[in-house]
Amino acid sequence: MKYSHRTLLGPAPCWRGFLRWGLCIPITAGSWYLYKSYPMGGLVAIGLTPFLCLFLFFYGLAQISRTLPYVRTVIRAHRMRMSPVWGSSSGGFLLSDPHAGLWASDKAGGKLQSITRLQLHTDGDAHQLKIFMTDEDTPAAIIGVGSPALLETTARRLQQDIAYSSGHAEILLH
C-alpha cells in the first residue's frame, strides 16, 4: 500500500515550533492574571515565566530548524516521482519505495540497487544510519534515528527493500 509523504513523515515540524512559541503568550498573560487575583502566587509565576518562555522559544526553534531537511526530503521524493511505502522521521527523514526501487532523504536519494553498504552507529544519545553508495569511506546520507531499537528496525527494513528491488540476498550491514 502506498502512502503520501505527509502521512509517513507527518506535518512539517515548523508548525510544532510555532505552536510552542505561541504558548508563551497565554503563559505570560496567565501569570499577570494570577498576579491580579493572588499577588503572592502571581509574583512566583511572573518570576518563572521568562525561564519557561525561553525554554519554549529554544525548543520551538529546534523544531523549526528541522523544517529545511523535511522540505528537501519531500521535494527530492516528488522529483523522483516516488510513491513511498514507508518512512522514518524520528531524527532524520527517510522515504522508501521498494516497488519502484527508490529511496530519498535530506542529502541524497536514488536507486535502492546502488546502495552498497549500510552502517549503524550509536554513541550515547546519537543513533545514525549511514548509507553508502560507493566503496568510499564517505557516506552518501546520514539519517538520525530516535532510539537504538528504531535504528535496527529502520536498517532491517531498508535492507529488505534493497533485497526486494535488486534481487540480492543480503546487503552488507555493519
Side-chain angles (χ1 to χ4, degrees):
M1 180 172 204
K2 298 180 180 186
Y3 299 99
S4 72
H5 306 96
R6 180 159 293 164
T7 303
L8 295 172
L9 298 179
C14 65
W15 298 116
R16 282 181 264 164
F18 292 145
L19 178 66
R20 283 175 177 80
W21 284 358
L23 283 175
C24 291
I25 296 168
I27 289 171
T28 305
S31 67
W32 280 106
Y33 178 74
L34 187 63
Y35 175 71
K36 294 285 187 185
S37 301
Y38 305 101
M40 191 58 87
L43 283 175
V44 171
I46 288 172
L48 295 175
T49 298
F51 299 106
L52 184 58
C53 287
L54 275 173
F55 170 76
L56 289 172
F57 173 77
F58 286 112
Y59 193 60
L61 190 62
Q63 292 293 319
I64 290 171
S65 69
R66 289 182 42 134
T67 302
L68 187 60
Y70 173 88
V71 169
R72 285 194 292 215
T73 302
V74 170
I75 288 173
R76 185 178 307 274
H78 278 293
R79 285 184 182 159
M80 295 169 63
R81 301 194 191 290
M82 283 180 64
S83 296
V85 174
W86 68 274
S88 173
S89 65
S90 64
F93 298 103
L94 173 69
L95 293 171
S96 178
D97 183 6
H99 304 296
L102 299 171
W103 69 279
S105 75
D106 170 30
K107 300 286 183 187
K111 297 233 177 245
L112 287 168
Q113 299 165 346
S114 61
I115 296 175
T116 59
R117 180 170 46 123
L118 298 174
Q119 183 178 1
L120 306 172
H121 177 72
T122 184
D123 59 349
D125 293 331
H127 314 290
Q128 299 173 336
L129 173 64
K130 296 180 181 179
I131 300 173
F132 294 87
M133 297 185 72
T134 60
D135 291 331
E136 297 176 11
D137 290 336
T138 58
I142 300 173
I143 293 112
V145 183
S147 69
L150 191 58
L151 174 66
E152 185 71 27
T153 303
T154 303
R156 291 284 176 214
R157 192 148 187 204
L158 191 58
Q159 188 179 26
Q160 290 171 353
D161 289 353
I162 294 167
Y164 175 79
S165 68
S166 66
H168 292 109
E170 197 72 27
I171 189 80
L172 196 55
L173 184 64
H174 293 280

Tab-separated table of all heavy atoms in Angstrom, residues 33-69:
chain	number	residue	atom	x	y	z
A	33	TYR	N	-2.470	37.644	35.063
A	33	TYR	CA	-3.824	37.495	35.608
A	33	TYR	C	-3.758	36.897	37.012
A	33	TYR	O	-4.495	37.310	37.906
A	33	TYR	CB	-4.670	36.610	34.687
A	33	TYR	CG	-6.051	36.381	35.210
A	33	TYR	CD1	-7.009	37.387	35.158
A	33	TYR	CD2	-6.408	35.167	35.792
A	33	TYR	CE1	-8.285	37.195	35.651
A	33	TYR	CE2	-7.669	34.963	36.294
A	33	TYR	CZ	-8.604	35.973	36.220
A	33	TYR	OH	-9.864	35.785	36.725
A	34	LEU	N	-2.877	35.927	37.205
A	34	LEU	CA	-2.701	35.332	38.528
A	34	LEU	C	-2.200	36.370	39.525
A	34	LEU	O	-2.610	36.383	40.688
A	34	LEU	CB	-1.731	34.149	38.443
A	34	LEU	CG	-1.557	33.301	39.685
A	34	LEU	CD1	-2.879	32.640	40.052
A	34	LEU	CD2	-0.486	32.255	39.457
A	35	TYR	N	-1.347	37.269	39.072
A	35	TYR	CA	-0.836	38.338	39.938
A	35	TYR	C	-1.961	39.264	40.389
A	35	TYR	O	-1.984	39.722	41.535
A	35	TYR	CB	0.256	39.125	39.211
A	35	TYR	CG	0.742	40.320	39.986
A	35	TYR	CD1	1.514	40.163	41.128
A	35	TYR	CD2	0.410	41.607	39.580
A	35	TYR	CE1	1.943	41.262	41.858
A	35	TYR	CE2	0.835	42.712	40.287
A	35	TYR	CZ	1.604	42.534	41.429
A	35	TYR	OH	2.029	43.614	42.151
A	36	LYS	N	-2.903	39.544	39.480
A	36	LYS	CA	-4.031	40.419	39.823
A	36	LYS	C	-4.941	39.757	40.862
A	36	LYS	O	-5.472	40.428	41.742
A	36	LYS	CB	-4.861	40.756	38.577
A	36	LYS	CG	-4.125	41.578	37.563
A	36	LYS	CD	-4.022	42.990	38.026
A	36	LYS	CE	-3.446	43.825	36.915
A	36	LYS	NZ	-3.209	45.181	37.324
A	37	SER	N	-5.124	38.436	40.750
A	37	SER	CA	-6.018	37.726	41.668
A	37	SER	C	-5.327	37.335	42.972
A	37	SER	O	-5.891	37.479	44.049
A	37	SER	CB	-6.566	36.462	40.997
A	37	SER	OG	-7.256	36.804	39.830
A	38	TYR	N	-4.128	36.781	42.850
A	38	TYR	CA	-3.357	36.311	44.011
A	38	TYR	C	-1.947	36.865	43.905
A	38	TYR	O	-1.090	36.271	43.254
A	38	TYR	CB	-3.306	34.773	44.035
A	38	TYR	CG	-4.656	34.126	43.995
A	38	TYR	CD1	-5.163	33.594	42.818
A	38	TYR	CD2	-5.437	34.061	45.144
A	38	TYR	CE1	-6.403	33.005	42.775
A	38	TYR	CE2	-6.678	33.477	45.112
A	38	TYR	CZ	-7.155	32.943	43.918
A	38	TYR	OH	-8.395	32.376	43.897
A	39	PRO	N	-1.670	38.003	44.530
A	39	PRO	CA	-0.385	38.683	44.336
A	39	PRO	C	0.843	37.822	44.660
A	39	PRO	O	1.819	37.847	43.920
A	39	PRO	CB	-0.464	39.890	45.275
A	39	PRO	CG	-1.914	40.133	45.461
A	39	PRO	CD	-2.567	38.801	45.370
A	40	MET	N	0.817	37.051	45.727
A	40	MET	CA	2.000	36.275	46.084
A	40	MET	C	2.251	35.141	45.065
A	40	MET	O	3.372	34.954	44.610
A	40	MET	CB	1.849	35.690	47.493
A	40	MET	CG	3.124	35.099	48.017
A	40	MET	SD	4.475	36.277	48.060
A	40	MET	CE	4.207	37.011	49.638
A	41	GLY	N	1.207	34.418	44.737
A	41	GLY	CA	1.346	33.356	43.730
A	41	GLY	C	1.676	33.927	42.357
A	41	GLY	O	2.411	33.327	41.576
A	42	GLY	N	1.112	35.078	42.048
A	42	GLY	CA	1.390	35.735	40.778
A	42	GLY	C	2.831	36.169	40.656
A	42	GLY	O	3.416	36.100	39.573
A	43	LEU	N	3.429	36.637	41.763
A	43	LEU	CA	4.847	37.020	41.717
A	43	LEU	C	5.742	35.816	41.426
A	43	LEU	O	6.718	35.918	40.680
A	43	LEU	CB	5.257	37.675	43.043
A	43	LEU	CG	4.816	39.119	43.231
A	43	LEU	CD1	5.187	39.602	44.628
A	43	LEU	CD2	5.440	40.000	42.177
A	44	VAL	N	5.390	34.677	42.002
A	44	VAL	CA	6.150	33.454	41.718
A	44	VAL	C	5.998	33.075	40.246
A	44	VAL	O	6.968	32.746	39.563
A	44	VAL	CB	5.691	32.302	42.644
A	44	VAL	CG1	6.320	30.986	42.215
A	44	VAL	CG2	6.020	32.619	44.085
A	45	ALA	N	4.770	33.137	39.732
A	45	ALA	CA	4.525	32.810	38.325
A	45	ALA	C	5.236	33.790	37.394
A	45	ALA	O	5.829	33.384	36.385
A	45	ALA	CB	3.025	32.806	38.036
A	46	ILE	N	5.215	35.077	37.733
A	46	ILE	CA	5.906	36.081	36.907
A	46	ILE	C	7.406	35.835	36.930
A	46	ILE	O	8.096	36.013	35.930
A	46	ILE	CB	5.549	37.509	37.388
A	46	ILE	CG1	4.110	37.838	37.008
A	46	ILE	CG2	6.491	38.542	36.795
A	46	ILE	CD1	3.598	39.130	37.594
A	47	GLY	N	7.936	35.389	38.072
A	47	GLY	CA	9.368	35.095	38.156
A	47	GLY	C	9.771	33.874	37.345
A	47	GLY	O	10.885	33.809	36.803
A	48	LEU	N	8.876	32.890	37.219
A	48	LEU	CA	9.191	31.668	36.465
A	48	LEU	C	8.872	31.781	34.974
A	48	LEU	O	9.398	31.010	34.171
A	48	LEU	CB	8.432	30.480	37.062
A	48	LEU	CG	8.821	30.087	38.484
A	48	LEU	CD1	7.917	28.983	38.987
A	48	LEU	CD2	10.271	29.668	38.535
A	49	THR	N	8.029	32.708	34.602
A	49	THR	CA	7.586	32.853	33.208
A	49	THR	C	8.738	33.060	32.220
A	49	THR	O	8.750	32.412	31.166
A	49	THR	CB	6.552	33.982	33.093
A	49	THR	OG1	5.419	33.633	33.874
A	49	THR	CG2	6.120	34.199	31.656
A	50	PRO	N	9.725	33.927	32.490
A	50	PRO	CA	10.794	34.096	31.496
A	50	PRO	C	11.574	32.806	31.218
A	50	PRO	O	11.941	32.534	30.080
A	50	PRO	CB	11.714	35.146	32.116
A	50	PRO	CG	10.886	35.861	33.106
A	50	PRO	CD	9.874	34.888	33.583
A	51	PHE	N	11.790	31.992	32.254
A	51	PHE	CA	12.523	30.743	32.053
A	51	PHE	C	11.717	29.760	31.218
A	51	PHE	O	12.254	29.099	30.329
A	51	PHE	CB	12.897	30.122	33.407
A	51	PHE	CG	13.783	31.004	34.218
A	51	PHE	CD1	13.281	31.684	35.310
A	51	PHE	CD2	15.113	31.184	33.865
A	51	PHE	CE1	14.095	32.512	36.066
A	51	PHE	CE2	15.938	32.017	34.604
A	51	PHE	CZ	15.436	32.685	35.705
A	52	LEU	N	10.431	29.680	31.507
A	52	LEU	CA	9.562	28.804	30.737
A	52	LEU	C	9.463	29.275	29.287
A	52	LEU	O	9.522	28.468	28.360
A	52	LEU	CB	8.180	28.742	31.383
A	52	LEU	CG	7.174	27.788	30.748
A	52	LEU	CD1	7.706	26.367	30.745
A	52	LEU	CD2	5.852	27.862	31.483
A	53	CYS	N	9.344	30.583	29.093
A	53	CYS	CA	9.258	31.124	27.725
A	53	CYS	C	10.565	30.934	26.963
A	53	CYS	O	10.544	30.651	25.765
A	53	CYS	CB	8.856	32.595	27.760
A	53	CYS	SG	7.117	32.836	28.202
A	54	LEU	N	11.708	31.062	27.639
A	54	LEU	CA	12.990	30.799	26.972
A	54	LEU	C	13.101	29.333	26.557
A	54	LEU	O	13.578	29.016	25.459
A	54	LEU	CB	14.163	31.175	27.876
A	54	LEU	CG	14.582	32.624	27.845
A	54	LEU	CD1	15.641	32.894	28.898
A	54	LEU	CD2	15.098	33.002	26.477
A	55	PHE	N	12.670	28.443	27.447
A	55	PHE	CA	12.676	27.021	27.105
A	55	PHE	C	11.807	26.757	25.885
A	55	PHE	O	12.216	26.075	24.941
A	55	PHE	CB	12.189	26.187	28.289
A	55	PHE	CG	11.943	24.752	27.937
A	55	PHE	CD1	13.010	23.877	27.763
A	55	PHE	CD2	10.662	24.275	27.761
A	55	PHE	CE1	12.792	22.549	27.424
A	55	PHE	CE2	10.434	22.958	27.432
A	55	PHE	CZ	11.498	22.093	27.261
A	56	LEU	N	10.586	27.293	25.891
A	56	LEU	CA	9.678	27.091	24.759
A	56	LEU	C	10.222	27.721	23.484
A	56	LEU	O	10.049	27.186	22.387
A	56	LEU	CB	8.297	27.654	25.086
A	56	LEU	CG	7.499	26.870	26.119
A	56	LEU	CD1	6.239	27.635	26.497
A	56	LEU	CD2	7.162	25.489	25.604
A	57	PHE	N	10.901	28.859	23.602
A	57	PHE	CA	11.472	29.507	22.424
A	57	PHE	C	12.544	28.626	21.782
A	57	PHE	O	12.512	28.368	20.582
A	57	PHE	CB	12.070	30.865	22.786
A	57	PHE	CG	12.825	31.488	21.649
A	57	PHE	CD1	12.152	32.086	20.600
A	57	PHE	CD2	14.211	31.429	21.600
A	57	PHE	CE1	12.836	32.645	19.531
A	57	PHE	CE2	14.906	31.977	20.543
A	57	PHE	CZ	14.218	32.592	19.508
A	58	PHE	N	13.487	28.149	22.586
A	58	PHE	CA	14.569	27.351	22.010
A	58	PHE	C	14.103	25.967	21.574
A	58	PHE	O	14.596	25.436	20.579
A	58	PHE	CB	15.749	27.252	22.983
A	58	PHE	CG	16.525	28.524	23.055
A	58	PHE	CD1	16.515	29.295	24.205
A	58	PHE	CD2	17.240	28.981	21.961
A	58	PHE	CE1	17.221	30.483	24.265
A	58	PHE	CE2	17.941	30.169	22.012
A	58	PHE	CZ	17.932	30.924	23.170
A	59	TYR	N	13.140	25.391	22.287
A	59	TYR	CA	12.578	24.112	21.860
A	59	TYR	C	11.824	24.279	20.543
A	59	TYR	O	11.906	23.439	19.647
A	59	TYR	CB	11.671	23.551	22.953
A	59	TYR	CG	11.289	22.116	22.754
A	59	TYR	CD1	12.247	21.115	22.684
A	59	TYR	CD2	9.956	21.745	22.634
A	59	TYR	CE1	11.900	19.803	22.500
A	59	TYR	CE2	9.591	20.434	22.452
A	59	TYR	CZ	10.569	19.458	22.389
A	59	TYR	OH	10.215	18.156	22.193
A	60	GLY	N	11.086	25.369	20.405
A	60	GLY	CA	10.402	25.668	19.150
A	60	GLY	C	11.373	25.953	18.026
A	60	GLY	O	11.163	25.553	16.882
A	61	LEU	N	12.474	26.637	18.339
A	61	LEU	CA	13.500	26.910	17.330
A	61	LEU	C	14.129	25.619	16.820
A	61	LEU	O	14.412	25.489	15.625
A	61	LEU	CB	14.567	27.828	17.918
A	61	LEU	CG	15.592	28.417	16.963
A	61	LEU	CD1	14.909	29.291	15.925
A	61	LEU	CD2	16.624	29.207	17.741
A	62	ALA	N	14.323	24.654	17.712
A	62	ALA	CA	14.855	23.353	17.284
A	62	ALA	C	13.887	22.663	16.331
A	62	ALA	O	14.308	22.030	15.348
A	62	ALA	CB	15.125	22.474	18.500
A	63	GLN	N	12.593	22.767	16.582
A	63	GLN	CA	11.611	22.173	15.680
A	63	GLN	C	11.590	22.895	14.332
A	63	GLN	O	11.499	22.257	13.285
A	63	GLN	CB	10.214	22.217	16.314
A	63	GLN	CG	10.054	21.321	17.500
A	63	GLN	CD	10.145	19.862	17.108
A	63	GLN	OE1	9.620	19.436	16.105
A	63	GLN	NE2	10.848	19.096	17.925
A	64	ILE	N	11.697	24.207	14.360
A	64	ILE	CA	11.679	24.973	13.116
A	64	ILE	C	12.923	24.672	12.275
A	64	ILE	O	12.855	24.611	11.053
A	64	ILE	CB	11.525	26.479	13.427
A	64	ILE	CG1	10.109	26.735	13.945
A	64	ILE	CG2	11.810	27.346	12.214
A	64	ILE	CD1	9.878	28.112	14.479
A	65	SER	N	14.051	24.441	12.923
A	65	SER	CA	15.267	24.137	12.166
A	65	SER	C	15.192	22.778	11.472
A	65	SER	O	15.933	22.528	10.528
A	65	SER	CB	16.489	24.183	13.087
A	65	SER	OG	16.462	23.107	14.002
A	66	ARG	N	14.294	21.903	11.893
A	66	ARG	CA	14.110	20.606	11.219
A	66	ARG	C	13.262	20.721	9.956
A	66	ARG	O	13.129	19.757	9.207
A	66	ARG	CB	13.434	19.624	12.177
A	66	ARG	CG	14.298	19.154	13.288
A	66	ARG	CD	13.547	18.159	14.119
A	66	ARG	NE	12.809	17.253	13.254
A	66	ARG	CZ	12.770	15.952	13.389
A	66	ARG	NH1	13.393	15.390	14.361
A	66	ARG	NH2	12.078	15.192	12.563
A	67	THR	N	12.697	21.889	9.702
A	67	THR	CA	11.801	22.054	8.561
A	67	THR	C	12.552	21.971	7.237
A	67	THR	O	12.049	21.386	6.274
A	67	THR	CB	11.039	23.381	8.668
A	67	THR	OG1	10.326	23.373	9.903
A	67	THR	CG2	10.076	23.572	7.528
A	68	LEU	N	13.748	22.532	7.154
A	68	LEU	CA	14.508	22.504	5.903
A	68	LEU	C	14.833	21.075	5.457
A	68	LEU	O	14.587	20.736	4.289
A	68	LEU	CB	15.767	23.357	6.029
A	68	LEU	CG	16.570	23.544	4.753
A	68	LEU	CD1	15.729	24.225	3.679
A	68	LEU	CD2	17.813	24.356	5.044
A	69	PRO	N	15.353	20.191	6.318
A	69	PRO	CA	15.551	18.802	5.879
A	69	PRO	C	14.246	18.113	5.493
A	69	PRO	O	14.221	17.310	4.555
A	69	PRO	CB	16.187	18.116	7.092
A	69	PRO	CG	16.778	19.200	7.883
A	69	PRO	CD	15.946	20.416	7.636
